[in-house]
């Protein structure tokens, strides 16, 4: 019994790591712009494909060993995926923001951007799935009957490292202070000399870069890529961010692991076809009793 529990805990930590990395991007953008970037799940998908092409080039054409290819694939994937996120902000979101468009139009635009990324991928690369090349030798460990791999440990460690880094950025740096200032009063921030557009770009760089990192780790763990791979996991990560308290980094991180734990628990007890039904039902119950999420704080609007 204890072995089974520990095995499920490790599996939940791995799944929760993917959700947490994506949810952090959602909550960063929302915390600064009050914008739900529904294209973020598809940015995760783009990151996985970017990692595929970079890794294939480094392994095949450049002839690098796997560990060296991985060491270069990680920063290149994050940089290129960040460029995708910044491009979306510059082309789609910034014009609407400057014109004072209603938030509903911005949300519709975000949904449209996600569909464009999906179908552009489908049109350019086709519907056939792609197999991600192995970059490292996967080693299986067995400790007390609990089985895990070096890749699974790497995914979990990376998620915690990203959370610690983002928490430091938001709470201890001038950029993080500017982010919090924009979320508090975006109209007064320009009067204080804070370059609002630059801070927003940094926000998209961080959020999209870590979505690309999540795409790389997911592709290494489950090496089959297809154009719609980011749709469902993106929605789940968004729900995890909402349950944790959208706009709060701690909430997004905890919400991702909570969703991963619920899914693994459901699969361990019920058929896998019930996973999404039970997962969303449990999260809905949490929101019924705590509508602001676990770490969310109700805000009042003065008229």
């Amino acid at each position: 019994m204890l072995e089974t529990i520990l095995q499920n805990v490790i599996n939940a930590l791995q799944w929760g790591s993917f959700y947490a990395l994506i949810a952090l991007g959602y909550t960063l953008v929302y915390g600064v712009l009050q914008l739900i970037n529904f294209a973020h799940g598809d940015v995760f998908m783009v990151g996985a494909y970017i990692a595929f092409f970079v890794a294939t080039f480094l392994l095949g054409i450049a002839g690098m060993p796997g560990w060296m290819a991985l060491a270069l694939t990680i920063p290149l994937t994050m940089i290129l995926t960040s460029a995708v996120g910044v491009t979306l902000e510059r082309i789609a979101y910034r014009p609407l923001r400057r014109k004072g468009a209603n938030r509903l139009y911005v949300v519709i635009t975000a949904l449209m951007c996600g569909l464009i990324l999906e179908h552009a991928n489908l049109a350019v690369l086709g519907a056939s799935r792609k197999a991600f090349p192995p970059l490292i030798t996967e080693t299986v460990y067995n400790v007390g009957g609990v089985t895990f791999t070096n890749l699974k440990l790497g995914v979990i460690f990376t998620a915690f490292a990203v959370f610690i880094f983002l928490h430091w950025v938001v709470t201890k740096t001038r950029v993080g202070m500017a982010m919090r200032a924009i979320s508090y009063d975006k109209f007064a921030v320009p009067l204080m000399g804070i370059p609002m557009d630059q801070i927003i770009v940094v926000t998209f760089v961080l959020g999209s870069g870590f979505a690309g990192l999540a795409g790389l780790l997911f592709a290494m763990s489950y090496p089959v890529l297809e154009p719609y791979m980011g749709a469902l996991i993106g929605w789940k990560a968004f729900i995890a961010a909402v349950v944790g308290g959208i706009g709060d980094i701690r909430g997004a991180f905890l919400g991702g692991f909570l969703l991963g734990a619920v899914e693994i628990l459901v699969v361990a007890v019920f058929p896998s076809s019930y996973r999404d039904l039970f997962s969303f039902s449990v999260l809905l119950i949490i929101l019924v009793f705590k509508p602001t999420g676990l770490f969310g704080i109700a805000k009042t609007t003065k008229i």
Side-chain angles (χ1 to χ4, degrees), residues 26 29 33 35-43 84-115 117 197 200 204 208:
Y26 273 115
V29 173
L33 290 177
L35 162 67
I36 301 174
N37 182 19
F38 282 120
H40 194 65
D42 294 299
V43 173
V84 174
V86 171
T87 301
L88 288 177
E89 190 276 332
R90 191 66 179 267
I91 295 176
Y93 304 144
R94 184 177 298 185
L96 295 175
R97 187 176 71 251
R98 288 183 172 175
K99 293 178 181 178
N102 186 283
R103 192 177 300 176
L104 176 61
Y105 299 127
V106 182
V107 171
I108 293 173
T109 301
L111 290 170
M112 178 193 67
C113 289
L115 292 174
L117 291 176
D197 286 342
I200 291 173
F204 273 87
S208 301

Side-chain angles (χ1 to χ4, degrees), residues 27-303:
T27 205
L28 268 178
V29 173
Y30 183 84
V32 174
L33 290 177
Q34 304 294 300
L35 162 67
I36 301 174
N37 182 19
F38 282 120
H40 194 65
D42 294 299
V43 173
F44 158 84
M45 176 271 296
V46 171
Y49 272 85
I50 289 174
F52 167 78
F53 287 111
V54 170
T56 302
F57 173 81
L58 294 177
L59 288 174
I61 299 177
M64 291 184 179
W67 65 269
M68 185 181 296
L70 177 61
L72 290 176
T73 300
I74 292 174
L76 287 175
T77 297
M78 295 181 68
I79 291 171
L80 294 174
T81 310
S82 296
V84 174
V86 171
T87 301
L88 288 177
E89 190 276 332
R90 191 66 179 267
I91 295 176
Y93 304 144
R94 184 177 298 185
L96 295 175
R97 187 176 71 251
R98 288 183 172 175
K99 293 178 181 178
N102 186 283
R103 192 177 300 176
L104 176 61
Y105 299 127
V106 182
V107 171
I108 293 173
T109 301
L111 290 170
M112 178 193 67
C113 289
L115 292 174
I116 288 175
L117 291 176
E118 291 177 4
H119 292 284
N121 187 335
L122 187 63
V124 174
L125 301 177
S128 59
R129 298 182 174 183
K130 298 188 179 299
F132 195 85
L135 295 177
I136 59 174
T137 302
E138 195 166 353
T139 304
V140 180
Y141 303 99
N142 193 306
V143 179
V146 179
T147 303
F148 54 90
T149 65
N150 54 342
L151 181 56
K152 186 171 293 190
L153 292 179
V155 170
I156 298 170
F157 172 79
T158 301
F160 278 89
V162 167
F163 169 72
I164 294 171
F165 172 75
L166 282 181
H167 191 268
W168 173 78
V169 168
V170 171
T171 60
K172 302 296 183 181
T173 67
R174 294 174 65 89
V175 172
M177 186 183 299
M179 289 179 180
R180 286 181 280 126
I182 294 173
S183 67
Y184 184 76
D185 192 339
K186 65 180 179 180
F187 298 105
V189 161
L191 302 177
M192 301 172 64
I194 297 176
M196 185 168 172
D197 286 342
Q198 294 181 19
I199 299 301
I200 291 173
V201 166
V202 172
T203 304
F204 273 87
V205 166
L206 290 173
S208 301
F210 291 124
L213 177 61
L216 167 61
L217 295 175
F218 189 87
M220 292 178 63
S221 303
Y222 306 97
V224 178
L225 309 183
E226 52 95 12
Y228 300 105
M229 62 181 289
L232 184 57
I233 193 171
W235 280 104
K236 288 183 177 181
F238 166 68
I239 293 173
V242 172
V243 168
I246 190 75
D248 189 289
I249 289 179
R250 299 169 303 166
F253 190 69
L254 181 61
F257 284 103
L258 178 61
L259 177 58
V262 171
E263 287 195 351
I264 294 300
L265 179 63
V266 169
V267 172
V269 178
F270 301 98
S272 59
S273 58
Y274 292 153
R275 180 180 60 186
D276 293 340
L277 172 64
F278 277 80
S279 300
F280 291 137
S281 298
V282 169
L283 299 180
L284 178 61
I285 292 172
I286 293 175
L287 289 178
V288 168
F289 290 98
K290 191 94 168 49
T292 58
L294 298 177
F295 287 90
I297 300 174
K299 295 182 179 180
T300 56
T301 303
K302 295 182 180 180
I303 300 177

